[in-house]
Structures are given as C-alpha cells and as structure tokens.
Amino acid sequence: MKSYLVKVFLISLCLISWQVFGQSDSSSAPTAVANIGKYKDWALRCVEDEVGKQGRCRLFQRLILEENKRVVLQAMIVLPKNVTDPANAVFVLPLGLHLPSGIKLRVDSGEVSDLQVERCFPQGCTARILLDRKMLTSFKEGNIATVIVRERPTQDVNLRVSLAGFSAGYKALLKAESERRD
C-alpha cells in the first residue's frame, strides 16, 4: 500500500503544486519558479511572471524516501496577504490516507496538533495549520516536525520534516515578501 501511495503522489506532485500554490497575485500567468535561496533543508522559491516580475514566495521542503529517492510529502510555509495574520504551514499529502483518523503534527516531543485537511484533488490532499506565535517558535527552535497520518485506522505513518534552516529561511521569506509588496 505504501508503494502505491508513493507512486500516486509522485505522478501528481507537479500538478497539485501548480493548482494549489502556483498562482500569482498579478494578472500575468506565472511562467517559472525561481529558487531564491537554500537554507539547509529548506528552499525559498518565488513564482515569476512572463516579464520576470517576482510573485508570491514560499519556504519549501520535500520529504524524499532514501531507499528510492521519491517524494512523499511537500511542506510549504506561506505568508498571508494580510501581513499581520500568521503564516500557514501547508502540507501536500498523497491520496489513500485514512482521513477520519485525522492528520496530526508534532514538533520534537511537543504537543500534538490537528491539521485541517482542506481539500483533496486527484493528485493529493492539502492540510494546513496556522503558525501562531507558539507554533512558529516551535518550528524555529525545533529539530523535527512530524506529520502523523494513517494508511489504515490502526497504522500510523510518521513523516519527519527537518526544521534545520527553518529560522533563516523564514527570515528570508519575510524579507522577500516585504520587498515584493513594496
């Protein structure tokens, strides 16, 4: 079952990224994703339109299985349009998960939080959590964020997202979005 989930997810990863996160605020359609910076295990990526104008940016990480080099999860940090609102951590997960069990998130050995599953596309499901002050501090000071999903009602799967470089990457994301908005 795990192999099937990985294959379904890989086939659809690019499509769901564009459908959910690739749209720019400008009227021009985005044509490219520029890698702005690398912060240990996180990358800062910004969408560019046809004339090379920078659009919205995201802090991004892919979870790749070591044994077969396949992507099984994408983690993205997205800033809201209103800069006073908290950022969002968005996770793109494969289809086939047991959704009634919920999706959970734990940073290191801290509290377990519920992720809100927003929607599922044929390519995968998105789940989101607001990075309020407490959660943002956990991400900045933590080592591992574990996304806990279930393939079956009784079988947990722990997807471990490294937080190495998160603080520096988040600072760069804030700066890039500030410059874009000016």
Side-chain angles (χ1 to χ4, degrees):
M1 180 63 154
K2 200 177 233 182
S3 174
Y4 170 76
L5 289 175
V6 171
K7 287 177 186 175
V8 168
F9 186 70
L10 287 173
I11 292 170
S12 60
L13 187 60
C14 292
L15 292 173
I16 195 167
S17 294
W18 165 248
Q19 287 177 344
V20 178
F21 303 105
Q23 298 174 0
S24 171
D25 291 337
S26 69
S27 59
S28 300
T31 58
V33 175
N35 290 319
I36 304 299
K38 180 86 169 132
Y39 306 91
K40 294 187 180 175
D41 293 331
W42 292 85
L44 180 61
R45 295 183 176 174
C46 301
V47 175
E48 293 180 348
D49 66 15
E50 295 170 353
V51 295
K53 183 179 176 191
Q54 180 177 304
R56 303 233 14 225
C57 298
R58 285 123 181 92
L59 194 57
F60 181 86
Q61 184 179 151
R62 285 188 179 132
L63 180 63
I64 300 173
L65 291 177
E66 289 182 22
E67 60 269 11
N68 58 15
K69 304 295 183 212
R70 298 199 181 207
V71 178
V72 293
L73 177 131
Q74 285 189 102
M76 289 173 257
I77 307 302
V78 182
L79 295 178
K81 290 181 181 179
N82 182 351
V83 293
T84 61
D85 291 342
N88 291 283
V90 180
F91 300 92
V92 181
L93 302 157
L95 294 173
L97 301 176
H98 187 257
L99 294 178
S101 298
I103 310 295
K104 311 284 185 196
L105 176 70
R106 182 181 60 242
V107 177
D108 295 331
S109 60
E111 295 177 21
V112 175
S113 300
D114 292 321
L115 293 175
Q116 298 173 353
V117 176
E118 291 188 327
R119 60 179 61 125
C120 292
F121 297 94
Q123 301 86 3
C125 297
T126 61
R128 173 183 311 255
I129 190 167
L130 286 176
L131 291 180
D132 60 19
R133 189 171 300 186
K134 182 179 178 183
M135 185 63 73
L136 182 59
T137 299
S138 294
F139 269 57
K140 287 179 176 180
E141 296 175 357
N143 295 307
I144 297 290
T146 303
V147 178
I148 305 161
V149 298
R150 287 193 170 171
E151 287 183 320
R152 290 179 230 138
T154 59
Q155 181 182 1
D156 282 351
V157 177
N158 295 318
L159 304 172
R160 297 168 49 94
V161 178
S162 170
L163 296 175
F166 179 84
S167 290
Y170 188 76
K171 185 176 179 180
L173 173 62
L174 291 173
K175 182 179 179 196
E177 279 294 291
S178 175
E179 290 171 359
R180 181 186 71 81
R181 292 174 182 177
D182 288 342

